[in-house]
Structure formats: structure tokens, C-alpha cells
Amino acid sequence: MSEKFYITTPIYYVNAEPHLGHAYTTIVADVLNRFHILEGKETYFLTGTDEHGDKIVRAAEGAGEPAERYVDRMSQMFRDLWPKLGICNDDFIRTTEPRHKSVVKKILERVHEKGDIYFSDYEGLYCFGCERFYTERELVEGKCPDHLTEPTMISESNYFFRMSNYQDWLIDHIKRNPEFIRPERYKNEVLSFLKDPLEDLCISRPKSRLRWGITLPFDENYVTYVWFDALINYISALGYPEGELFRRFWPVAQHLVAKDILKPHGIYWPCMLKAADIEPYQHLNVHGYWNVDEGKMSKSLGNVVKPLELVDIYGLDAFRYFLLREMVFGLDSEFSEDALVARINADLANDLGNLVSRSLTMARKYFQRESVQPGKQVEIDEDLKRRALQLLGEYESNMEKLGFHKALIAIWDFIGHVNKYIVKTEPWVLAKKDRERLSSVMFNIIESIIEVSVLLWPFMPATSEKLQGILGLERKGGDLKLRNLGLWEGLRDVGKISKVPHLFPRVEVKKEAGVGEEEEEQKPEERRKEMVSFEEFQKLDLRVGVIKEAHNIPGSKKLVKLLVDIGEERVVVAGIAGYYSTEELVGKDVVIVANLMPVKLMGVESNGMVLAAEDDTGVHLLTPDARTAPGSKVR
Ligand code: MSP
């Protein structure tokens, strides 16, 4: 029997549209789920919506809709968003569904029968935003710490859950299972909260005040407090108590939440489970907050980040990569579009994009599966293989510990090594003089790309599958398991290699005009340079040339060193590394300025300049439209 994995996200309130924060949590859950699929586990991934309570009633009223219709419409927005973000959840639960309501009633009955629910008068300070009572001690300057509003004094009779009965058990459980709440800072926060006596939890709302909720099974006049209702989704979706899914997945349950809802998940929920004689979950994984403009995202500030808008501009995989690479799990992060663009250009267009386009273009040109037949000797590059194995280990251990950014750093480190290996082995030179060695070099490169494609699958599923598709791999995406790597035998599956598309175009950064600078684009005639006479123009020696060799320049992300035949051989340095792979360049006809003063760039002397045109889509070399003899004059 394979090992199992069960991951949940919070069920999101339907009082507002999904934003960056919801997208992040759900993407992290998807990344974790896919990682466990790669580990060969049987997985289950649950998300959904939280639809009861005051907050929702007020939002429905604000929208001028009956609550039923409002929650249907809003819940659908979440449900529709997830596939667009590449989320592959197995189930989507809504707290208004009968399957959920019946489990909430069962749990309430059970805890009630046990004597852990009692009826009592209560007078307290209530925050409508949080939908809970606050003690004086919890308020900050008399206000709710989250909503910064003064709570209202409410006096009513209600039902209470004897949470205090479970305080000692919970402290002991957390101490004996140090990974129960992680990262550690959040475990410590819960333990520090538990130093003071726990108050019992008010779990009902009189129908005179709120009708939109689940009626208590033992008192028709009350509905269930929204948190007591919502937390139960994690087991109602599995068909508690008899459900097959519950039996299989509950013992390995892991929740994923942000720090805002640490207390209900770290305190109420384990106590509720204990009271209902259900095993506690395995892990509560808590992440930090995405801030915008150094503060919270908020409708009133107009800085709510909408995930689909970013995906439309930058692409889904770039967005997913950025979120996971940028945030250290557990800590807060500042979101900015500039940071997103910087990551796309440096990590995706440059590092990964270069590796993929140069390797797979070469693979298509020089190499098909037939080049490495079983039994044919290939020379494995031991250094590259050792690094690949080391990467696998680092990746697995970081992913297990929620160190997503570290796992990505390790992959990018490896990408850097493969890029270096290509520069060192120069397959384009071997293609002309040593086909045997070329086979071995290409074998090592393709095995490395297969590994990168598999490890990227949780983060960038479409890119990973595209890479595997180009290689004609018979097993794709999650079918390739981590245990298949490390053996360096993925090539057995490689088929016909297809044309390589441009995966990550660079994002041009539009410079904002500063004070005093002209805001509008200049008119074409203003952009033109000053006039030159024909004699002056004739001073330029423009020649047709053909690129014989192209090499990346170590330490430079922009420059390539070209050997150009213009009737004689010239070394020319060109700033086109982000736009062409060195393999694509070899054999290209170009136009060069042949009498430009030599200049040293990154230690290489350049004797000329290659002409190219640039627009929003990138840099394009100028080429005569028919084969022209090298050295021909351009007039
Ligand atoms: N309905 C409750 C959860 C009940 S779970 C049994 C709720 N809903 S919520 O819509 O407010 O979602 C809160 C969650 O959304 C956070 O815990 C986090 O997962 C995500 N985020 C919302 N804003 C966020 C940020 N600014 N940054 C990161 N994640 C945040 O609470």
C-alpha cells in the first residue's frame, strides 16, 4: 500500500473576491500535493468556501441579493479561479452543502452528549468583523486588533464548548509532537497563548440575531458559531465517520493556513477533535502574509492584488514560480510587480530559458534517441551526475520542510552548472569533429533537463510538461516519479524531439519618466538623430558575415562572443545572449560594422558590431534576404 498525503486550504469566506493571499495558499497546497504525487504517494487535496455567519449576511445585503443566491455566485468565483491557476484539487466543499451540515450536527451531538457543551448567560464585547467575543485583555487600546473597531457589548444566553477541559492535553500534545504546528515560531505563539487559562468557546448565535447558519441539533432557536461549523469541513469532506476517504486520509491530514487564523486551527480545532474522540491532525503549516505597499491589502486602499490580472500579463507559471521563490514560508513578504518582472527576466528568461532553448535546439539538431542505443557506451559526466543526485536530496528534504524557496534555489544552482557544462563541452564543436563524444555530452545534458523538468512540475506544471513533451517523453508530468531520477536512465523514454518554442520572453521594463523629463513618447522625427552627409555615411564599412562560432562569456548574462567570417575571421562581442542561444547563432548570416574601433568587453576584444533591430518582442539580427557571400559590402 502506498503512503498517503492529505492537504487542505482554509475554506475562504465568500464575502469578497479571491485575491493574491487566497491564490498563494491554494498554490502552495497544490505545489505540496504535486510534490507528494512525485514521491509516489496517494494524495487528496481539499479546498472550498465558508458561507455562514454575520459577515456573509451583511455582504449579501450589501450586494442586494438573498444570501442563498449570493453565496452560490461568490463560491463559484473561487471554484472557477482554481483551474486557471493550475490548481488540481480533488474536492471543493461548501459549508452550505447537506453533506457538511449533517456532519456538523453529528459532532455537536457527540460533544453535547459527552457533557462538553453547556448553556449559560453571557455578556461580552463582540467584534462583528471577527464574529467573536473578545476579552478586555485581547483588545488593543479598547479596539479589535484586526479590525481596529470598538467591539459592541452584547448580553445573551448561549451554548459554550468546554475548551478549557482540553488545555493540558493540548499543551502536552504540542510538546510531544514538535512538528504539530510549524514553523516553530507559530508553535511557540500557540504555547505562549496557552500559558493563560483557556476560556470556553461560545459556539452558538441566537436566531433572533442571526438565522444564516446551521441549526443546533439540540436547540432549534440557535445556529452554530461559524468557526465551529467551518473547521469541521476538513472531516465532513472526507465523509466522517464512515467514509472510505476519512479512513484513508484523516490520519495523515495536514492543514495549510496563514498566521491570521492560527488560533482557531491551533487551539479550537484540536480541542474539538479531542472532544469528539477523533485523532488530531498531523501538521498545521502556517505561512506569513503578503503585504502590498508595506501594509495589508485592503479594498479601501485600492491595493488588492488580483491574481488573474497578473497571470494574463506574465503567464501562470511565472506567477506561480514568483510566489514560491519570493516568500520564505512562515515569514511575511512584500508583493511588487517590479520584483515579479525582475525574477522573470533573471531566473526564467535568462537562466532556465537559455538552458532549455540551447539544449533542446541542439538535441533536435544533433541527437535523437537512436544516438544512444542500449548497449552503446556513453560517458557519464560524474560531476554532473553527482550534482544531480545531490540536488534530488536537497530538493526532497526542503520540500518536506516547506522550504520551497530553498528547493528552487537548489534547482537554479544546478541549472547554472548545466549551462557551464555546455559552455565547457561545446557540443556545436563536437558536432563537427567527434560524434561519439557528442552523444555522451548530449546524454548528460538531456538527463539533466529531464531532472529539472520533473523537479519543476509541482511549481510550474505547464512548463514541465511542455519540456517533457518536446523530448517526446512517454511518461509526462506527475507520471515521472522522483525515484525514477538519479538513475540517469530517463532517456529510455525519450522520443522524437520536437521544435523548441520560446518559453519565457523577457519582460521589457518601461522606464517611468522622472520629474522634468518628457512623459509622452517622442514623435518619430524628434527621435531621429542628427543628419549625416553621404561622405560621412560612407566612412562606415558594413559587411555581410556568417557566424562560425558563438560562446557565452562567463560572468555575463548579456554578452556572447562570436567568430564571424567576413572574408576574414573576426571576433565580435554582441549583447544578444538573452535572445538567441549560441547554437541558434552558428551558421546565421549577419551584417556587421567592420571598421568600428576595437573595444574590450568583459575581457574580450570586440572587433566590430553586429547589427540588430529591437522592438517590444525582443532583439532581431539583420540578415540579407538571400544567401550573400561573406565579406560582401553593404551599401
Ligand atoms: N473562512 C475562514 C477560514 C476557515 S477555515 C476552516 C477565513 N477565510 S478568509 O477568506 O479570510 O481566508 C483567510 C486565508 O486566506 C488566510 O489564512 C490565508 O490562507 C489567505 N490569505 C488571505 N490574505 C492573505 C495575505 N495577505 N497573505 C497571505 N495569505 C492570506 O479566514
Side-chain angles (χ1 to χ4, degrees):
M1 273 261 275
S2 63
E3 270 189 83
K4 296 185 177 51
F5 175 75
Y6 173 40
I7 187 76
T8 69
T9 72
I11 47 171
Y12 304 111
Y13 285 131
V14 288
N15 62 337
E17 287 179 29
H19 59 58
L20 176 74
H22 306 120
Y24 173 74
T25 312
T26 316
I27 291 173
V28 172
D30 188 65
V31 168
L32 272 170
N33 194 53
R34 288 175 189 263
F35 164 68
H36 288 277
I37 291 175
L38 285 185
E39 283 199 314
K41 291 187 189 162
E42 207 183 319
T43 68
Y44 204 73
F45 171 10
L46 174 71
T47 186
T49 43
D50 190 353
E51 305 183 8
H52 290 130
D54 279 329
K55 212 195 294 245
I56 309 298
V57 174
R58 274 182 285 132
E61 278 167 8
E65 278 178 82
E68 289 82 355
R69 204 168 77 204
Y70 176 78
V71 297
D72 282 353
R73 182 169 66 77
M74 296 300 287
S75 175
Q76 195 61 40
M77 289 179 86
F78 283 87
R79 203 191 277 266
D80 290 344
L81 173 64
W82 302 139
K84 294 183 187 140
L85 298 185
I87 305 297
C88 284
N89 49 305
D90 294 292
D91 195 1
F92 185 100
I93 185 137
R94 301 180 55 186
T95 52
T96 46
E97 287 176 84
R99 62 167 172 158
H100 173 72
K101 290 183 184 171
S102 71
V103 177
V104 171
K105 290 191 175 186
K106 264 185 208 134
I107 299 285
L108 280 166
E109 264 160 5
R110 188 157 185 167
V111 180
H112 190 232
E113 275 160 22
K114 234 179 137 181
D116 278 340
I117 291 177
Y118 61 92
F119 192 63
S120 167
D121 289 338
Y122 189 78
E123 189 178 72
L125 293 162
Y126 190 79
C127 170
F128 283 92
C130 303
E131 303 194 26
R132 74 170 184 96
F133 287 99
Y134 271 94
T135 58
E136 293 281 1
R137 196 161 42 91
E138 289 174 301
L139 300 174
V140 177
E141 291 171 7
K143 291 184 176 162
C144 156
D146 274 348
H147 294 89
L148 307 177
T149 48
E150 274 183 28
T152 314
M153 182 60 81
I154 287 187
S155 162
E156 60 191 24
S157 299
N158 265 311
Y159 286 88
F160 289 82
F161 165 49
R162 284 188 212 281
M163 206 152 68
S164 48
N165 273 359
Y166 299 96
Q167 177 159 10
D168 292 342
W169 165 81
L170 182 57
I171 295 172
D172 186 55
H173 185 77
I174 296 174
K175 288 192 171 156
R176 278 195 292 118
N177 298 277
E179 295 276 286
F180 183 59
I181 299 173
R182 58 187 186 179
E184 204 177 356
R185 55 194 295 136
Y186 297 110
K187 174 186 88 173
N188 293 339
E189 207 172 296
V190 169
L191 282 175
S192 119
F193 192 85
L194 288 169
K195 279 194 182 127
D196 293 322
L198 261 188
E199 292 196 18
D200 290 342
L201 184 68
C202 176
I203 57 153
S204 66
R205 299 291 181 262
K207 281 193 180 167
S208 54
R209 180 150 73 78
L210 175 73
R211 299 199 67 80
W212 187 241
I214 301 174
T215 301
L216 291 182
F218 40 81
D219 192 336
E220 274 292 313
N221 298 316
Y222 286 86
V223 293
T224 314
Y225 168 46
V226 67
W227 268 106
F228 199 94
D229 156 0
L231 288 160
I232 291 173
N233 90 87
Y234 301 132
I235 57 172
S236 66
L238 297 182
Y240 169 85
E242 265 104 36
E244 166 64 9
L245 288 171
F246 180 74
R247 196 185 52 74
R248 271 162 55 207
F249 290 107
W250 181 250
V252 293
Q254 296 203 25
H255 302 307
L256 181 67
V257 299
K259 62 183 188 181
D260 56 334
I261 49 177
L262 173 62
K263 199 169 155 191
H265 284 83
I267 298 178
Y268 307 172
W269 183 223
C271 293
M272 285 165 64
L273 288 164
K274 185 73 183 161
D277 300 313
I278 303 169
E279 281 298 298
Y281 53 78
Q282 209 174 54
H283 298 295
L284 175 62
N285 307 305
V286 188
H287 65 76
Y289 245 52
W290 280 100
N291 294 323
V292 177
D293 309 326
E294 285 164 25
K296 271 194 167 184
M297 265 184 283
S298 89
K299 243 190 193 168
S300 52
L301 290 175
N303 61 0
V304 174
V305 180
K306 298 195 177 154
L308 278 187
E309 286 179 4
L310 294 168
V311 167
D312 286 345
I313 303 173
Y314 302 106
L316 174 57
D317 278 8
F319 176 64
R320 288 175 63 119
Y321 170 77
F322 170 76
L323 294 183
L324 274 290
R325 173 64 186 78
E326 200 72 4
M327 186 177 254
V328 175
F329 191 90
L331 303 182
D332 291 353
S333 257
E334 173 76 15
F335 178 84
S336 87
E337 220 166 313
D338 286 349
L340 168 61
V341 168
R343 284 256 170 248
I344 293 177
N345 285 346
D347 301 359
L348 302 182
N350 230 324
D351 301 340
L352 177 62
N354 263 344
L355 172 68
V356 165
S357 72
R358 71 205 311 206
S359 310
L360 298 184
T361 306
M362 287 193 296
R364 184 169 157 78
K365 203 158 150 193
Y366 309 138
F367 184 92
Q368 293 298 338
R369 181 167 46 179
E370 295 68 42
S371 320
V372 181
Q373 291 291 356
K376 185 166 171 181
Q377 279 299 309
V378 288
E379 203 184 308
I380 288 174
D381 188 274
E382 290 304 331
D383 177 57
L384 208 55
K385 184 171 176 183
R386 184 182 53 76
R387 287 181 193 277
L389 287 178
Q390 188 185 328
L391 166 63
L392 197 56
E394 274 176 38
Y395 175 86
E396 286 200 80
S397 81
N398 282 314
M399 294 293 279
E400 296 279 1
K401 288 185 292 200
L402 312 160
F404 307 109
H405 74 294
K406 285 194 184 156
L408 287 168
I409 290 172
I411 299 176
W412 257 255
D413 225 40
F414 182 66
I415 289 175
H417 282 293
V418 187
N419 271 328
K420 279 191 198 130
Y421 176 77
I422 297 173
V423 172
K424 193 178 79 191
T425 53
E426 301 186 311
W428 49 92
V429 177
L430 296 175
K432 291 188 200 114
K433 52 181 205 213
D434 189 349
R435 300 293 298 191
E436 280 286 297
R437 169 110 179 97
L438 177 69
S439 281
S440 293
V441 165
M442 291 309 300
F443 171 91
N444 288 301
I445 295 172
I446 294 176
E447 284 292 345
S448 304
I449 300 263
I450 293 174
E451 171 155 338
V452 168
S453 80
V454 175
L455 302 190
L456 282 183
W457 187 67
F459 299 97
M460 305 165 86
T463 303
S464 157
E465 285 168 16
K466 222 183 262 175
L467 288 176
Q468 295 171 0
I470 295 168
L471 285 168
L473 286 173
E474 283 158 21
R475 290 180 295 168
K476 272 200 212 71
D479 296 342
L480 279 160
K481 300 286 178 260
L482 295 179
R483 62 171 174 270
N484 303 130
L485 302 174
L487 297 171
W488 285 55
E489 58 169 25
L491 270 178
R492 284 187 317 183
D493 277 356
V494 169
K496 187 164 166 36
I497 296 166
S498 41
K499 206 165 163 14
V500 186
H502 208 32
L503 288 184
F504 298 104
R506 279 184 75 79
V507 180
E508 287 306 317
V509 187
K510 296 243 171 1
K511 235 186 100 197
E512 277 178 40
V515 183
E517 287 177 45
E518 297 195 30
E519 294 248 346
E520 292 297 316
E521 277 227 336
Q522 289 181 324
K523 293 192 193 90
E525 53 270 28
E526 286 167 346
R527 259 195 282 139
R528 276 196 206 135
K529 295 188 181 155
E530 94 186 58
M531 296 289 203
V532 291
S533 67
F534 184 63
E535 285 70 33
E536 282 172 306
F537 169 69
Q538 274 202 315
K539 285 187 188 164
L540 290 179
D541 187 11
L542 301 175
R543 303 272 170 173
V544 171
V546 55
I547 300 176
K548 294 291 192 195
E549 288 178 23
H551 307 278
N552 285 309
I553 297 181
S556 171
K557 292 196 163 172
K558 275 197 182 153
L559 301 178
V560 273
K561 176 181 164 188
L562 306 172
L563 187 67
V564 186
D565 176 4
I566 52 163
E568 64 182 64
E569 288 192 338
R570 280 291 180 92
V571 172
V572 174
V573 175
I576 51 176
Y579 305 99
Y580 291 88
S581 67
T582 47
E583 299 70 45
E584 281 174 83
L585 289 169
V586 175
K588 248 195 190 333
D589 289 336
V590 287
V591 177
I592 76 161
V593 184
N595 63 336
L596 205 59
M597 292 276 205
V599 58
K600 241 187 181 171
L601 297 165
M602 294 294 282
V604 182
E605 188 175 283
S606 179
N607 286 282
M609 188 174 95
V610 181
L611 295 187
E614 184 170 10
D615 68 4
D616 286 348
T617 63
V619 168
H620 312 281
L621 287 172
L622 298 190
T623 302
D625 79 345
R627 196 89 226 196
T628 314
S632 302
K633 220 171 153 21
V634 177
R635 292 180 283 137

